[in-house]
PDB file of all heavy atoms in Angstrom:
ATOM      1  N   ASN A 335      -6.460   2.748 -19.244  1.00 98.00           N
ATOM      2  CA  ASN A 335      -5.842   2.476 -20.489  1.00 98.00           C
ATOM      3  C   ASN A 335      -4.613   1.586 -20.400  1.00 98.00           C
ATOM      4  O   ASN A 335      -4.333   0.722 -21.334  1.00 98.00           O
ATOM      5  CB  ASN A 335      -5.487   3.837 -21.276  1.00 98.00           C
ATOM      6  CG  ASN A 335      -6.704   4.783 -21.398  1.00 98.00           C
ATOM      7  OD1 ASN A 335      -6.998   5.413 -20.430  1.00 98.00           O
ATOM      8  ND2 ASN A 335      -7.295   4.626 -22.562  1.00 98.00           N
ATOM      9  N   ASN A 336      -3.860   1.832 -19.421  1.00 98.00           N
ATOM     10  CA  ASN A 336      -2.738   0.986 -19.139  1.00 98.00           C
ATOM     11  C   ASN A 336      -2.680   0.307 -17.635  1.00 98.00           C
ATOM     12  O   ASN A 336      -3.164   1.115 -16.799  1.00 98.00           O
ATOM     13  CB  ASN A 336      -1.381   1.801 -19.351  1.00 98.00           C
ATOM     14  CG  ASN A 336      -1.163   2.053 -20.862  1.00 98.00           C
ATOM     15  OD1 ASN A 336      -0.809   1.203 -21.542  1.00 98.00           O
ATOM     16  ND2 ASN A 336      -1.309   3.333 -21.227  1.00 98.00           N
ATOM     17  N   ILE A 337      -2.247  -0.741 -17.485  1.00 98.00           N
ATOM     18  CA  ILE A 337      -2.069  -1.424 -16.137  1.00 98.00           C
ATOM     19  C   ILE A 337      -0.575  -1.771 -16.212  1.00 98.00           C
ATOM     20  O   ILE A 337      -0.117  -2.499 -16.970  1.00 98.00           O
ATOM     21  CB  ILE A 337      -2.995  -2.606 -16.018  1.00 98.00           C
ATOM     22  CG1 ILE A 337      -4.506  -2.171 -15.999  1.00 98.00           C
ATOM     23  CG2 ILE A 337      -2.776  -3.287 -14.641  1.00 98.00           C
ATOM     24  CD1 ILE A 337      -5.423  -3.288 -15.930  1.00 98.00           C
ATOM     25  N   ILE A 338       0.001  -1.381 -15.036  1.00 98.00           N
ATOM     26  CA  ILE A 338       1.451  -1.659 -14.914  1.00 98.00           C
ATOM     27  C   ILE A 338       1.546  -2.387 -13.578  1.00 98.00           C
ATOM     28  O   ILE A 338       1.154  -1.998 -12.473  1.00 98.00           O
ATOM     29  CB  ILE A 338       2.331  -0.284 -14.733  1.00 98.00           C
ATOM     30  CG1 ILE A 338       2.257   0.355 -16.173  1.00 98.00           C
ATOM     31  CG2 ILE A 338       3.749  -0.634 -14.456  1.00 98.00           C
ATOM     32  CD1 ILE A 338       2.938   1.778 -16.075  1.00 98.00           C
ATOM     33  N   PHE A 339       2.186  -3.600 -13.602  1.00 98.00           N
ATOM     34  CA  PHE A 339       2.522  -4.433 -12.508  1.00 98.00           C
ATOM     35  C   PHE A 339       4.056  -4.093 -12.131  1.00 98.00           C
ATOM     36  O   PHE A 339       4.912  -4.274 -13.013  1.00 98.00           O
ATOM     37  CB  PHE A 339       2.481  -5.896 -12.841  1.00 98.00           C
ATOM     38  CG  PHE A 339       1.084  -6.351 -13.129  1.00 98.00           C
ATOM     39  CD1 PHE A 339       0.919  -7.470 -13.830  1.00 98.00           C
ATOM     40  CD2 PHE A 339      -0.039  -5.737 -12.519  1.00 98.00           C
ATOM     41  CE1 PHE A 339      -0.341  -7.915 -14.328  1.00 98.00           C
ATOM     42  CE2 PHE A 339      -1.345  -6.174 -12.888  1.00 98.00           C
ATOM     43  CZ  PHE A 339      -1.456  -7.401 -13.822  1.00 98.00           C
ATOM     44  N   LEU A 340       4.229  -3.608 -10.896  1.00 97.00           N
ATOM     45  CA  LEU A 340       5.492  -3.223 -10.411  1.00 97.00           C
ATOM     46  C   LEU A 340       6.183  -4.299  -9.607  1.00 97.00           C
ATOM     47  O   LEU A 340       5.487  -4.730  -8.634  1.00 97.00           O
ATOM     48  CB  LEU A 340       5.541  -1.885  -9.665  1.00 97.00           C
ATOM     49  CG  LEU A 340       5.098  -0.612 -10.383  1.00 97.00           C
ATOM     50  CD1 LEU A 340       4.814   0.468  -9.356  1.00 97.00           C
ATOM     51  CD2 LEU A 340       5.996  -0.228 -11.372  1.00 97.00           C
ATOM     52  N   THR A 341       7.344  -4.808 -10.059  1.00 95.00           N
ATOM     53  CA  THR A 341       7.986  -5.844  -9.232  1.00 95.00           C
ATOM     54  C   THR A 341       9.380  -5.401  -8.921  1.00 95.00           C
ATOM     55  O   THR A 341      10.052  -4.756  -9.700  1.00 95.00           O
ATOM     56  CB  THR A 341       8.061  -7.148  -9.990  1.00 95.00           C
ATOM     57  OG1 THR A 341       8.589  -8.174  -9.152  1.00 95.00           O
ATOM     58  CG2 THR A 341       8.796  -6.989 -11.316  1.00 95.00           C
ATOM     59  N   CYS A 342       9.780  -5.587  -7.688  1.00 92.00           N
ATOM     60  CA  CYS A 342      11.174  -5.304  -7.229  1.00 92.00           C
ATOM     61  C   CYS A 342      11.900  -6.740  -7.214  1.00 92.00           C
ATOM     62  O   CYS A 342      11.813  -7.367  -6.159  1.00 92.00           O
ATOM     63  CB  CYS A 342      11.095  -4.681  -5.909  1.00 92.00           C
ATOM     64  SG  CYS A 342      12.704  -4.365  -5.177  1.00 92.00           S
ATOM     65  N   ASP A 343      12.448  -6.992  -8.287  1.00 93.00           N
ATOM     66  CA  ASP A 343      13.069  -8.374  -8.449  1.00 93.00           C
ATOM     67  C   ASP A 343      14.462  -8.297  -7.777  1.00 93.00           C
ATOM     68  O   ASP A 343      15.421  -7.713  -8.265  1.00 93.00           O
ATOM     69  CB  ASP A 343      13.192  -8.717  -9.935  1.00 93.00           C
ATOM     70  CG  ASP A 343      13.921 -10.007 -10.097  1.00 93.00           C
ATOM     71  OD1 ASP A 343      13.975 -10.872  -9.308  1.00 93.00           O
ATOM     72  OD2 ASP A 343      14.402 -10.275 -11.276  1.00 93.00           O
ATOM     73  N   ALA A 344      14.587  -9.047  -6.720  1.00 89.00           N
ATOM     74  CA  ALA A 344      15.826  -9.002  -5.963  1.00 89.00           C
ATOM     75  C   ALA A 344      16.913  -9.858  -6.560  1.00 89.00           C
ATOM     76  O   ALA A 344      18.032  -9.948  -6.150  1.00 89.00           O
ATOM     77  CB  ALA A 344      15.620  -9.426  -4.512  1.00 89.00           C
ATOM     78  N   PHE A 345      16.469 -10.620  -7.626  1.00 91.00           N
ATOM     79  CA  PHE A 345      17.476 -11.601  -8.226  1.00 91.00           C
ATOM     80  C   PHE A 345      18.013 -11.082  -9.493  1.00 91.00           C
ATOM     81  O   PHE A 345      18.988 -11.705 -10.048  1.00 91.00           O
ATOM     82  CB  PHE A 345      16.833 -12.954  -8.475  1.00 91.00           C
ATOM     83  CG  PHE A 345      16.565 -13.854  -7.247  1.00 91.00           C
ATOM     84  CD1 PHE A 345      15.393 -13.574  -6.498  1.00 91.00           C
ATOM     85  CD2 PHE A 345      17.425 -14.833  -6.791  1.00 91.00           C
ATOM     86  CE1 PHE A 345      15.117 -14.289  -5.328  1.00 91.00           C
ATOM     87  CE2 PHE A 345      17.138 -15.466  -5.673  1.00 91.00           C
ATOM     88  CZ  PHE A 345      15.983 -15.155  -4.967  1.00 91.00           C
ATOM     89  N   GLY A 346      17.535  -9.924 -10.058  1.00 94.00           N
ATOM     90  CA  GLY A 346      18.204  -9.321 -11.141  1.00 94.00           C
ATOM     91  C   GLY A 346      17.739 -10.091 -12.433  1.00 94.00           C
ATOM     92  O   GLY A 346      18.609 -10.000 -13.431  1.00 94.00           O
ATOM     93  N   VAL A 347      16.739 -10.936 -12.429  1.00 96.00           N
ATOM     94  CA  VAL A 347      16.405 -11.779 -13.546  1.00 96.00           C
ATOM     95  C   VAL A 347      15.435 -11.036 -14.557  1.00 96.00           C
ATOM     96  O   VAL A 347      15.599 -11.164 -15.771  1.00 96.00           O
ATOM     97  CB  VAL A 347      15.752 -13.007 -13.029  1.00 96.00           C
ATOM     98  CG1 VAL A 347      15.020 -13.815 -14.163  1.00 96.00           C
ATOM     99  CG2 VAL A 347      16.763 -13.921 -12.344  1.00 96.00           C
TER     100      VAL A 347
END
Side-chain angles (χ1 to χ4, degrees):
N335 300 86
N336 288 288
I337 298 174
I338 296 173
F339 298 150
L340 297 171
T341 181
C342 176
D343 175 25
F345 289 86
V347 164

